[in-house]
């Protein structure tokens, strides 16, 4: 359950559940709807040959797949109302490959206002099993 | 004006064909599995609300590659470099969401070509769901391009 917003302190960090980007979940996310005849649709997220053809050594997970992991963590921290006012500005500095394990992290870097009107400025990122950042940015809650 | 030509050639102001996305419980559950997120708010709904569409589904289905008019020359791949996202309202399962795309900016940075795409998601009742400014780039074995 989300905490009261006034309870957060600057410097406080949160970590999401580890998520493994398995082949099954890559295909399910990026292969198109299950009821398409050609599922899973071949693209650089689902097919090694398609990835190789555009110069990638391996398939690359869609950034929106692990952006979704980060959103899950933000909702866990700030509550589902975050989906009605939250925002984020992010970049994907490295590729996530099949089999990678991803952790989402959030750090409170500043606060404005008081009580339930407080606005939090956050550093957000996702990192892989090697600690390499694959998503970096900021968010507001 | 809606045009169908390779996305990497599209210029500022050009639009892709909008997508009308009807989110069924089955499609939503497909994304819940992909995201390993089975919160009841996305399945049965909570607090008197209908089930919500998982945000991962909305993000993935609003990538510009999902436009019916999206086309990319076969030797190119599109990479999602970053974005700004505003969450305005949750989307409801069982409602239609209309997604529109417009090229907002093109530029070269460190020898690589980038496009920014403004994306709007609005449900069938006119409720705004999400706004995105998507930054994309292209990968190819032979990218040679200047900003038009």
């Amino acid at each position: 359950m989300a905490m009261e917003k006034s309870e957060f302190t600057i410097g406080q960090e949160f970590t999401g559940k580890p998520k493994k980007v398995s082949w099954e979940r890559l295909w399910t996310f990026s292969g198109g709807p299950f009821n398409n005849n050609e599922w899973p649709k071949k693209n650089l997220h689902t097919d090694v040959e398609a990835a190789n053809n555009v110069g990638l050594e391996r398939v690359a997970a869609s950034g929106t797949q692990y952006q979704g992991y980060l959103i899950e963590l933000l909702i866990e921290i700030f509550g589902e109302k975050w989906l009605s006012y939250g925002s984020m500005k992010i970049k994907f500095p490295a590729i996530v490959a099949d089999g990678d394990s991803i952790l989402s992290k959030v750090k409170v870097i500043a606060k404005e206002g008081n009580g339930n009107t407080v606005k939090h400025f956050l550093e957000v990122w996702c990192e892989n099993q090697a600690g390499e950042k694959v998503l970096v940015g900021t968010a507001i809650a | 004006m809606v045009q169908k030509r390779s996305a990497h050639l599209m210029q500022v102001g050009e639009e892709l064909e909008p997508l009308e996305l009807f989110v069924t419980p089955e499609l939503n559950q497909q994304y819940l599995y992909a995201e390993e997120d089975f919160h009841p708010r996305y399945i049965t709904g909570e607090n008197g609300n209908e089930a919500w569409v998982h945000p991962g589904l909305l993000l993935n289905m609003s990538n510009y590659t999902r436009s019916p008019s999206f086309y990319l020359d076969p030797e190119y791949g599109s990479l999602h470099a970053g974005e700004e996202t505003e969450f305005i309202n949750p989307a409801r399962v069982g409602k239609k969401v209309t997604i529109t795309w417009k090229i907002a900016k093109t530029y070269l940075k460190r020898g690589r070509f980038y496009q920014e795409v403004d994306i709007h998601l609005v449900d069938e009742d006119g409720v705004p769901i999400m706004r995105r400014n998507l930054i994309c780039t292209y990968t190819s074995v032979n990218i040679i391009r200047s900003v038009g």
Side-chain angles (χ1 to χ4, degrees), chain A:
Chain A
M1 186 170 174
M3 296 166 65
E4 288 296 319
K5 289 183 85 179
S6 56
E7 295 174 23
F8 299 115
T9 55
I10 293 171
Q12 193 169 359
E13 278 193 36
F14 303 88
T15 301
K17 293 178 284 225
K19 306 239 184 182
K20 185 166 183 179
V21 186
S22 66
W23 264 109
E24 293 84 355
R25 290 194 158 90
L26 271 178
W27 283 15
T28 303
F29 193 87
S30 294
F34 283 153
N35 58 4
N36 277 4
N37 290 334
E38 57 179 11
W39 190 91
K41 189 175 180 183
K42 288 187 177 181
N43 55 51
L44 61 85
H45 308 302
T46 62
D47 183 70
V48 176
E49 191 178 344
N52 292 163
N53 286 346
V54 296
L56 298 175
E57 290 181 8
R58 302 175 66 177
V59 298
S62 168
T64 53
Q65 187 165 350
Y66 41 103
Q67 188 179 357
Y69 304 164
L70 177 63
I71 292 166
E72 180 185 351
L73 176 59
L74 286 161
I75 293 171
E76 191 179 315
I77 300 165
F78 294 102
E80 61 191 24
K81 282 189 177 175
W82 186 83
L83 280 177
S84 301
Y85 72 90
S87 63
M88 57 170 56
K89 184 176 182 178
I90 56 169
K91 289 182 179 176
F92 301 101
I95 280 172
V96 169
D98 58 292
D100 282 354
S101 291
I102 304 299
L103 274 181
S104 300
K105 299 201 174 186
V106 170
K107 183 178 183 179
V108 179
I109 53 175
K111 291 168 75 171
E112 270 182 17
N114 297 299
N116 282 328
T117 62
V118 70
K119 184 185 275 192
H120 292 81
F121 298 87
L122 311 164
E123 180 184 359
V124 297
W125 70 97
C126 294
E127 59 188 41
N128 63 19
Q129 64 281 359
E132 181 185 19
K133 289 183 177 178
V134 295
L135 178 158
V136 295
T138 56
I140 295 176

